[in-house]
Amino acid sequence: MADIGYLALVIAVAIGVYSLAAFIISIVTDNEKLKASAKGGVAAIGLLTTAASFILIYLLLVGDFSVKYVFEYTSTNLPLFYKLSAFWAGNAGSLLLWSWVLAIYTTIVTFSKKHEQDEKIPYVSAILLVINIFFLLVMTLNSSPFERIPSGVAVPMDGQGLNPMLQNPGMVFHPVTLYLGYVGFAVPYAFAMAALLTKKVDDSWIKVTRRWTIIAWMFLSLGNLYGAQWAYVELGWGGFWAWDPVENASFIPWLTGTAFLHSVMIQERKDMLKIWNMSLIIITFILTLFGTFLVRSGVLQSVHAFSNSGLGTWFLAFMCLAAVVSLYLLVDRINLLKQGNKFESYISKESSFLVNNLLLVGAAFATFWGTIFPLISEAVRGVRVTVSVPFFNQVNGPILLATIFVMGVCPLIAWQRASLKNIANSFLWPLILSVLIGVGLYLYLPGHELYGALAFLVATFVMLTILQEFYRGVRVRRRMTEEGFLTAFGRLMTRNRRRYGGYTIHLGIILISLAIIGSGAYKQEVTKQVSVGETITIDDYAITFNGLRQRQEGENDVVYAEMPVMKDGQVIGTITPEKVFYATWEQPSTEVAIKGTLVEDLYVILATWENSGQTATFKVHVNPLMSWMWIGGYILVLGTIFAVWPGKGSQLGPKYTQ
């Protein structure tokens, strides 16, 4: 079966090369038969990568340890769920997943009935095919998931097993959603390049790719969130984001993708920012390749990175090629892109969108610079200078807080030119209430954190502006139709899903921001060694150490501490932080114990123990508002689905004209 899987990839490469050539020749000669043949090649690549993917899944499930990848990432006793997730646990498998998703996306775009009359589609398919061929070549020449154990070496009876840190639901969904986001941005990029090649640089390519862009952004958001959740529950350091190079690699394209999502609205509405939008989607796509390069090249150390597999050169070369070709086309068509309207006032919706964009790109650049600076310092001075968490927090904190503030201003300010009356009408009450709340929190909460109170003030201001928009919309509708509150609310939402879906997404972002602010500015932590019967106190909690116990889970030994928890003098339950010792892995994994509410998480880590478990060291955190990060994430997803769902209410509102 492994040979069949490899053969499928080799045939896919050959067909990809043929289809690419056929698309190019058919475009030049206007040969419809050849174009149809090239489209058939796209479908064949989709089928072949699907077949290769199912073959790898089969090999993982049956445990064919004659295949190197299966041996390295599974074992006989690995639960079925994690045997399946081993598909993308390693370098070669994750490349196959990339390729599979891209092939399916390419097939959907090529055969979509909506695009039948679009003259850009052959160009789009050809560009996507180039990316397909690259990934297929990488797998067939450098990193095949179907590579056999070398001849002469006995086939192992069992595999090495999956890294314990990857045996977590968050790490099952994190890579898949991340790849769906990464690969998704290839589609608007391909349409943008097709627009440049055909010199049709109006907003048609933006309208066609709007859903692709938003869905790619949603998956990238989910990928980052699942990654944060995995880090929070699995890595056992008490946080969810450490500005690790690989974390940054997925966060940077999310920032530029977010900027792109907003700036295209200006082009749709006012025929502006064409060069900016082209630049943003090029940068976003290149950054998705950069993220893939960073994870696989081994140039930076990270708990998330794959080992150095020699793939770095491949990705660096392809990334440079894509950047050079894209920039050449952008510069060559620059005069076409300059046509359009101009800004008329510094105080307008379009200006605020531009400020939003500049802030997001500024955060992306700061993160990018901090990520690659160790490489630059090593190349220039021969010394690798580490850029740590304080740099990212001090630089990005104010930028992202300003971005949130502008996020509250953008939707409510008037197009073209805002008046003082419009500004006062939209922001006066949210501003007054948020200032009162900010001042109250500063005085009430411990430590009198000025930065934390200011951040809460900004987040509250934005939330109030959003809620005010819902309230005003319902009030106007009820006045006009005399509908009940819920009916008016439902119809307001469904008849303008793009607008209110966007507000819902912003609401999700604000909830995530509240969790980041709360857990960043107001967290409490203590590390303490205790003997049996002693108690650890933190905030209003008292946690008693009753000794260590041990149990068997399959081949694994689990050492855990049963610890009754009291809050304000009342027993609220028992927590059990653990260490799991795997039969197939040298290092034990830490399983944190979390007792969470909507207000805060009590987060306990079993660090070490001595004297046969009579004394143990625990790290205890109280992380405020963490639950709202995950709730906000799902609200973001709901808002995105609501906004892009096809049908009535999903169209753009009246277009602004001079």
Side-chain angles (χ1 to χ4, degrees):
M1 289 295 284
D3 295 336
I4 296 174
Y6 182 72
L7 184 63
L9 296 180
V10 173
I11 295 173
V13 173
I15 293 177
V17 173
Y18 162 75
S19 297
L20 177 61
F23 267 125
I24 294 171
I25 295 170
S26 69
I27 290 169
V28 174
T29 61
D30 198 22
N31 186 328
E32 290 299 323
K33 284 187 177 178
L34 196 56
K35 197 177 294 179
S37 175
K39 289 174 66 175
V42 170
I45 293 171
L47 288 173
L48 287 165
T49 52
T50 301
S53 300
F54 275 106
I55 288 172
L56 181 59
I57 291 171
Y58 171 78
L59 295 172
L60 290 166
L61 294 181
V62 301
D64 185 347
F65 300 120
S66 67
V67 178
K68 188 178 175 187
Y69 188 82
V70 178
F71 166 72
E72 290 177 343
Y73 295 101
T74 66
S75 59
T76 306
N77 293 322
L78 189 69
L80 182 67
F81 188 52
Y82 293 119
K83 281 185 178 177
L84 190 62
S85 70
F87 184 114
W88 46 85
N91 225 335
S94 66
L95 287 174
L96 180 55
L97 179 64
W98 234 103
S99 185
W100 186 19
V101 174
L102 181 61
I104 291 171
Y105 281 3
T106 307
T107 306
I108 293 171
V109 170
T110 303
F111 287 90
S112 171
K113 289 188 177 179
K114 282 185 178 179
H115 302 149
E116 277 182 344
Q117 304 303 319
D118 191 339
E119 63 179 298
K120 290 191 287 293
I121 288 303
Y123 294 85
V124 173
S125 299
I127 293 164
L128 290 173
L129 270 177
V130 171
I131 308 170
N132 269 293
I133 292 168
F134 167 72
F135 276 90
L136 289 166
L137 277 175
V138 168
M139 281 188 290
T140 51
L141 298 180
N142 184 281
S143 189
S144 170
F146 301 107
E147 182 182 348
R148 295 273 190 188
I149 297 287
S151 59
V153 176
V155 175
M157 297 299 291
D158 202 351
Q160 292 179 340
L162 190 64
N163 186 332
M165 288 197 299
L166 303 183
Q167 296 182 39
N168 176 277
M171 193 43 74
V172 172
F173 298 113
H174 163 64
V176 177
T177 48
L178 206 60
Y179 290 145
L180 288 169
Y182 273 1
V183 182
F185 276 112
V187 177
Y189 166 78
F191 271 92
M193 292 302 99
L196 291 175
L197 286 166
T198 57
K199 300 183 181 180
K200 306 286 186 185
V201 293
D202 54 16
D203 61 0
S204 61
W205 71 273
I206 288 174
K207 290 176 179 173
V208 169
T209 58
R210 176 178 166 267
R211 284 200 176 92
W212 282 102
T213 305
I214 295 177
I215 290 171
W217 177 85
M218 179 191 75
F219 279 120
L220 197 52
S221 305
L222 265 179
N224 278 301
L225 269 175
Y226 279 131
Q229 192 172 41
W230 168 76
Y232 187 63
V233 302
E234 190 63 33
L235 294 187
W237 60 280
F240 54 88
W241 193 269
W243 297 106
D244 178 275
V246 174
E247 291 175 341
N248 296 346
S250 59
F251 184 54
I252 299 168
W254 184 87
L255 289 168
T256 56
T258 305
F260 175 71
L261 265 180
H262 288 84
S263 64
V264 293
M265 293 186 217
I266 304 300
Q267 185 171 342
E268 281 185 282
R269 291 272 190 170
K270 273 203 82 175
D271 198 26
M272 298 168 65
L273 300 180
K274 291 180 183 176
I275 299 173
W276 180 250
N277 287 329
M278 280 289 178
S279 304
L280 275 181
I281 192 58
I282 290 170
I283 290 170
T284 302
F285 174 69
I286 299 295
L287 286 172
T288 63
L289 294 177
F290 172 73
T292 314
F293 159 75
L294 207 59
V295 175
R296 288 164 177 78
S297 63
V299 296
L300 290 171
Q301 297 300 314
S302 165
V303 67
H304 309 271
F306 296 115
S307 59
N308 187 356
S309 57
L311 286 174
T313 307
W314 285 78
F315 275 92
L316 190 60
F318 187 66
M319 198 165 54
C320 292
L321 177 67
V324 169
V325 172
S326 303
L327 289 176
Y328 169 76
L329 284 172
L330 180 65
V331 172
D332 190 61
R333 274 40 170 193
I334 201 81
N335 288 329
L336 294 173
L337 294 166
K338 283 180 179 176
Q339 298 167 8
N341 294 318
K342 296 181 179 177
F343 288 97
E344 297 179 15
S345 170
Y346 291 112
I347 307 175
S348 63
K349 190 187 288 287
E350 47 269 45
S351 297
S352 65
F353 268 71
L354 183 59
V355 172
N356 160 288
N357 263 236
L358 293 174
L359 289 167
L360 286 166
V361 173
F365 177 76
T367 309
F368 180 79
W369 179 249
T371 304
I372 66 166
F373 187 77
L375 298 177
I376 294 174
S377 68
E378 187 175 30
V380 175
R381 299 175 52 199
V383 179
R384 179 168 291 204
V385 177
T386 303
V387 180
S388 56
V389 173
F391 165 82
F392 291 104
N393 285 342
Q394 288 172 14
V395 175
N396 279 341
I399 295 176
L400 294 176
L401 190 60
T403 307
I404 291 171
F405 174 76
V406 177
M407 187 176 82
V409 172
C410 277
L412 305 189
I413 202 165
W415 288 99
Q416 191 176 7
R417 189 185 300 275
S419 65
L420 286 176
K421 183 180 178 183
N422 165 255
I423 293 171
N425 184 46
S426 298
F427 304 116
L428 182 61
W429 283 111
L431 183 63
I432 292 172
L433 288 173
S434 59
V435 168
L436 290 174
I437 290 170
V439 172
L441 289 174
Y442 174 74
L443 297 174
Y444 174 75
L445 291 176
H448 302 295
E449 290 279 348
L450 180 60
Y451 186 76
L454 180 64
F456 270 127
L457 186 157
V458 172
T460 308
F461 166 75
V462 179
M463 180 180 285
L464 290 173
T465 61
I466 296 169
L467 296 177
Q468 178 182 258
E469 275 300 285
F470 279 104
Y471 167 73
R472 286 181 171 177
V474 171
R475 188 181 63 179
V476 170
R477 185 169 180 87
R478 290 190 68 194
R479 191 181 298 158
M480 294 174 64
T481 63
E482 297 184 351
E483 293 169 342
F485 179 83
L486 289 178
T487 304
F489 177 75
R491 289 178 178 169
L492 176 77
M493 293 279 289
T494 53
R495 295 187 180 185
N496 200 340
R497 285 187 282 109
R498 182 166 171 167
R499 178 179 180 182
Y500 287 97
Y503 288 157
T504 306
I505 294 169
H506 284 185
L507 201 56
I509 296 283
I510 290 301
L511 294 179
I512 294 170
S513 304
L514 290 174
I516 294 171
I517 297 164
S519 61
Y522 298 99
K523 70 177 178 184
Q524 298 180 56
E525 56 184 291
V526 63
T527 300
K528 190 172 182 180
Q529 186 182 63
V530 288
S531 300
V532 174
E534 291 184 336
T535 297
I536 302 170
T537 57
I538 179 170
D539 196 21
D540 298 327
Y541 294 95
I543 312 154
T544 303
F545 174 48
N546 284 344
L548 295 181
R549 292 171 175 74
Q550 186 172 349
R551 68 172 185 272
Q552 193 81 21
E553 285 186 356
E555 292 184 327
N556 306 327
D557 291 317
V558 181
V559 176
Y560 63 100
E562 274 193 0
M563 307 181 78
V565 181
M566 299 182 71
K567 185 177 184 185
D568 297 325
Q570 302 292 320
V571 177
I572 60 170
T574 300
I575 55 173
T576 54
E578 301 175 349
K579 288 275 189 189
V580 182
F581 293 82
Y582 290 83
T584 56
W585 211 261
E586 291 183 4
Q587 297 297 322
S589 73
T590 299
E591 301 296 326
V592 301
I594 301 173
K595 196 160 193 63
T597 67
L598 293 178
V599 177
E600 63 197 10
D601 280 1
L602 175 65
Y603 183 102
V604 182
I605 307 154
L606 171 58
T608 59
W609 60 85
E610 295 165 354
N611 302 326
S612 302
Q614 292 302 301
T615 60
T617 302
F618 296 90
K619 296 179 181 176
V620 184
H621 298 241
V622 176
N623 296 327
L625 302 178
M626 276 304 298
S627 296
W628 293 102
M629 178 170 290
W630 325 126
I631 294 171
Y634 289 111
I635 289 177
L636 179 151
V637 171
L638 287 175
T640 307
I641 294 171
F642 185 77
V644 300
W645 198 264
K648 191 175 180 181
S650 62
Q651 300 83 7
L652 180 70
K655 189 168 183 174
Y656 166 80
T657 55
Q658 288 186 325

